[in-house]
Amino acid sequence: MAEQRLEANNNMASEAPAAPANHRNKRFAIACALLASTTSIILGYDIGVMSGAAIFIKKDFNLDDNKMQILLGILNVYSLVGSYAAGFTSDWIGRRYTIVLAAGIFFAGALLMGFATGYAFLMVGRFVAGIGVGYALMIAPVYTAELSPASSRGFLTSLPEVFINVGILLGYVSNYAFSNLRTSLGWRFMLGVGAVPSVFLAAGVLAMPESPRWLVMRGRLREARRVLERTSDSPEEALLRLQEIKAAAGIPADCDDDDYVVPKGAGKTSGGPGTEKSVWKDLLLRPTPKVRRAMLTAVGIHFFQQASGIDSVVLYSPRVFEKAGIRQEKKLLATTVAVGFVKTLFILVATFLLDRVGRRPLLLASTGGMVVSVLGLGLGLTLVDHGRKEAVTLCIMAILFYVAFFSIGMGPIAWVYGSEILPLRLRAQGASIAVAVNRLTSGLITMTFISLYNAITLGGSFFLYGGVTVIAWVFFFTCLPETRGRTLEEIDDLFGKTEKGEEKAPTDVVEMPAVNSTNANATTQRHEEEDATIKYISE
């Protein structure tokens, strides 16, 4: 059957050349992805700004190291509430309005932190802001992946990570800008300014369309088709994407009503909507081999992204630089700005490589570079502990290389993979689980970092992170297939076998020759390029 489909595609491809991409539609999809991804600024800003604000908060409230590491890392644990709730909310009110909700919650949290009068009040503000961060981290990549055409999905889905890095850089700049104010006022401005992006986001989201996949899940098929026609490279691709989404949701191919009532049991195994109870059962209690493999991959890449120690490097960079020999506060904050600049620069490079080089090569190269860099940082800090002051330069360069390698691969690809490999019906809740693991791991790492380096030295801590990163490279090499250029429905076939144990053929909708003839050549080429990877994953 698969050979017949492939032969049909080849015949149709020879008769009809591929239509040129609609650049106006691509610009519209990019604009929507940019607006959605702006929500990720709030997490990046909080990470960046707290690294410097912590210096002044510790002085103002006279806090010890244990309270400080809890204050810095607890937002990641609080964000679990938001990422868990976002799975329900995004299926209930839609992806777009969930973004508005995320912005509103963080706005309130930023104001509470800025007006905090003590440690307890500040922790309340961190809790509210953490919920907003959890919402933003889950919904931005899901919305972008569901809206994007396959030709540019890697670039567009990496935008949330771009804005996280932009937020980190803005946080560092805010630290430097307000550092001259008196201690009790400077950190309040640093934290309170974080409410500003939320206002612009809530206003801009009104111009965004709803996710076409969410619309199909709600039976609003004509509206979904209009959105796809505005965000696809060609009208034929829009029809193809709509047919694939309907097939995944268990909706008849010839149904085009805008008020189609989707049965609760439809698409139980193919991604159609069903009850929340059945979604969680299919994810956690009785997953198919395909779903289990996809969830393991999504959770694994999110776990290793944080277990590699990136948030410790970013959040505690002033302490690391101080340990390396830089003592003056102004110089410490200026050096962290350089870290934020390098991190942002290389994430921009990554966005243009994801759809050209592919996810897998970038991820493996990135992780390998991180191993070398973090081990170099551990060596430099160990030499500084033994009185070798010339190792300060090694420490600074190792940190810059570490964040550069992270940003060019592991940083953005975790969000790209996590949002594109899960089946349609399970995507929102599955993504929320992966994000929850991401934030919980980050929280544990950042809330124990000071205690860890007090126990095994600062250099020893980064040697430990280097060992974890080696394990991450092995996991990525073994478990992660290439997904570049495939539709979300085709990616579903990369993760193994059907429930009957038979390998599924790549998804090609041959029932619509007028649709497939336009994109058949590109689809066939993608299949040939990734045949080895598909065979490996299937086995």
Side-chain angles (χ1 to χ4, degrees):
M1 184 64 180
E3 289 78 3
Q4 293 173 354
R5 289 182 176 182
L6 187 58
E7 183 179 357
N9 279 343
N10 285 328
N11 292 336
M12 289 184 291
S14 63
E15 297 172 0
N22 188 320
H23 296 293
R24 181 177 180 182
N25 283 9
K26 182 168 289 189
R27 286 195 295 267
F28 179 73
I30 291 174
C32 294
L34 283 169
L35 281 172
S37 302
T38 306
T39 57
S40 301
I41 282 183
I42 62 182
L43 170 63
Y45 184 85
D46 184 87
I47 293 174
V49 80
M50 283 302 293
S51 69
I55 300 173
F56 305 99
I57 293 173
K58 183 177 182 179
K59 290 180 180 179
D60 196 18
F61 292 156
N62 194 25
L63 302 177
D64 59 29
D65 281 343
N66 286 330
K67 286 187 175 181
M68 284 308 304
Q69 67 180 358
I70 292 174
L71 178 67
L72 292 175
I74 197 65
L75 180 134
N76 297 300
V77 179
Y78 291 154
S79 68
L80 296 176
V81 179
S83 63
Y84 177 79
F88 296 99
T89 306
S90 62
D91 279 347
W92 177 37
I93 64 175
R95 291 16 175 177
R96 183 172 63 158
Y97 289 112
T98 301
I99 294 174
V100 177
L101 183 61
I105 294 173
F106 187 82
F107 177 83
L111 290 182
L112 286 172
M113 289 190 292
F115 287 105
T117 56
Y119 184 75
F121 196 158
L122 192 55
M123 290 291 282
V124 172
R126 299 288 283 168
F127 175 73
V128 176
I131 294 177
V133 165
Y135 265 94
L137 283 175
M138 197 289 290
I139 195 57
V142 167
Y143 173 87
T144 304
E146 294 185 345
L147 192 76
S148 306
S151 63
S152 56
R153 189 179 62 249
F155 166 69
L156 296 180
T157 313
S158 66
L159 288 177
E161 181 67 17
V162 173
F163 279 95
I164 289 176
N165 284 274
V166 170
I168 290 173
L169 178 58
L170 291 176
Y172 287 156
V173 171
S174 177
N175 287 334
Y176 189 81
F178 295 115
S179 61
N180 289 326
L181 298 177
R182 70 174 186 267
T183 301
S184 62
L185 189 61
W187 68 264
R188 299 180 190 278
F189 272 96
M190 296 174 188
L191 299 181
V193 168
V196 175
S198 303
V199 177
F200 292 101
L201 173 64
V205 79
L206 299 176
M208 294 163 49
E210 184 51 83
S211 158
R213 286 171 173 80
W214 183 84
L215 292 171
V216 170
M217 288 170 64
R218 287 294 177 269
R220 294 157 61 177
L221 306 182
R222 293 179 187 172
E223 189 175 348
R225 179 170 179 170
R226 288 194 294 269
V227 174
L228 288 169
E229 287 173 347
R230 296 186 66 189
T231 58
S232 299
D233 291 334
S234 66
E236 291 81 7
E237 184 191 356
L239 287 175
L240 176 61
R241 290 173 67 190
L242 179 61
Q243 290 302 316
E244 290 177 334
I245 296 169
K246 287 196 294 186
I251 297 174
D254 58 351
C255 180
D256 290 317
D257 296 335
D258 206 26
D259 55 354
Y260 180 80
V261 179
V262 181
K264 284 187 176 182
K268 187 177 187 301
T269 60
S270 59
T275 62
E276 295 291 344
K277 182 178 179 181
S278 109
V279 167
W280 289 109
K281 183 180 73 173
D282 291 346
L283 271 176
L284 302 176
L285 300 180
R286 295 181 180 176
T288 63
K290 179 187 298 186
V291 171
R292 187 183 301 113
R293 185 182 290 266
M295 277 301 300
L296 174 65
T297 302
V299 169
I301 192 170
H302 274 283
F303 168 78
F304 283 117
Q305 186 200 55
Q306 295 303 322
S308 63
I310 183 63
D311 278 359
S312 291
V313 173
V314 174
L315 198 57
Y316 291 99
S317 55
R319 281 182 180 250
V320 175
F321 287 132
E322 183 179 6
K323 185 73 173 178
I326 303 174
R327 305 296 182 186
Q328 189 179 349
E329 287 181 356
K330 201 74 173 178
K331 289 183 178 179
L332 282 174
L333 298 178
T335 311
T336 60
V337 172
V339 173
F341 178 78
V342 170
K343 204 168 185 297
T344 304
L345 176 64
F346 278 89
I347 190 65
L348 292 174
V349 173
T351 61
F352 293 100
L353 295 178
L354 279 169
D355 289 316
R356 292 173 172 83
V357 177
R359 283 66 152 154
R360 183 179 169 86
L362 274 181
L363 183 61
L364 294 176
S366 164
T367 310
M370 288 171 62
V371 171
V372 175
S373 302
V374 77
L375 293 179
L377 177 57
L379 176 62
L381 290 169
T382 302
L383 291 175
V384 169
D385 281 341
H386 287 80
R388 302 290 296 272
K389 299 302 181 183
E390 64 272 17
V392 172
T393 302
L394 173 61
C395 294
I396 296 175
M397 295 305 297
I399 288 180
L400 295 179
F401 275 104
Y402 178 78
V403 298
F405 277 114
F406 176 87
S407 294
I408 208 167
M410 190 185 289
I413 291 174
W415 304 104
V416 174
Y417 260 116
S419 61
E420 69 184 5
I421 64 177
L422 296 168
L424 170 62
R425 186 173 70 93
L426 311 177
R427 186 168 299 139
Q429 284 80 2
S432 70
I433 292 173
V435 172
V437 171
N438 182 290
R439 291 297 89 199
L440 180 60
T441 306
S442 176
L444 291 175
I445 293 293
T446 53
M447 285 194 297
T448 59
F449 180 70
I450 296 177
S451 300
L452 179 66
Y453 81 64
N454 283 336
I456 64 173
T457 74
L458 197 55
S461 300
F462 288 108
F463 282 130
L464 177 62
Y465 292 147
V468 173
T469 311
V470 170
I471 298 173
W473 191 95
V474 175
F475 175 81
F476 299 153
F477 182 82
T478 305
C479 298
L480 272 66
E482 181 58 72
T483 58
R484 176 176 60 95
R486 287 186 172 270
T487 68
L488 296 181
E489 285 65 41
E490 288 174 327
I491 290 172
D492 187 44
D493 292 322
L494 290 175
F495 284 85
K497 303 176 181 179
T498 63
E499 291 182 68
K500 295 181 180 180
E502 298 178 354
E503 184 179 353
K504 286 188 66 176
T507 304
D508 293 307
V509 186
V510 297
E511 291 79 2
M512 297 186 62
V515 175
N516 272 340
S517 62
T518 304
N519 297 286
N521 201 21
T523 302
T524 302
Q525 184 179 354
R526 290 198 306 267
H527 291 171
E528 291 173 350
E529 289 175 349
E530 299 169 4
D531 181 64
T533 302
I534 297 171
K535 184 179 295 185
Y536 172 77
I537 294 299
S538 298
E539 293 171 353

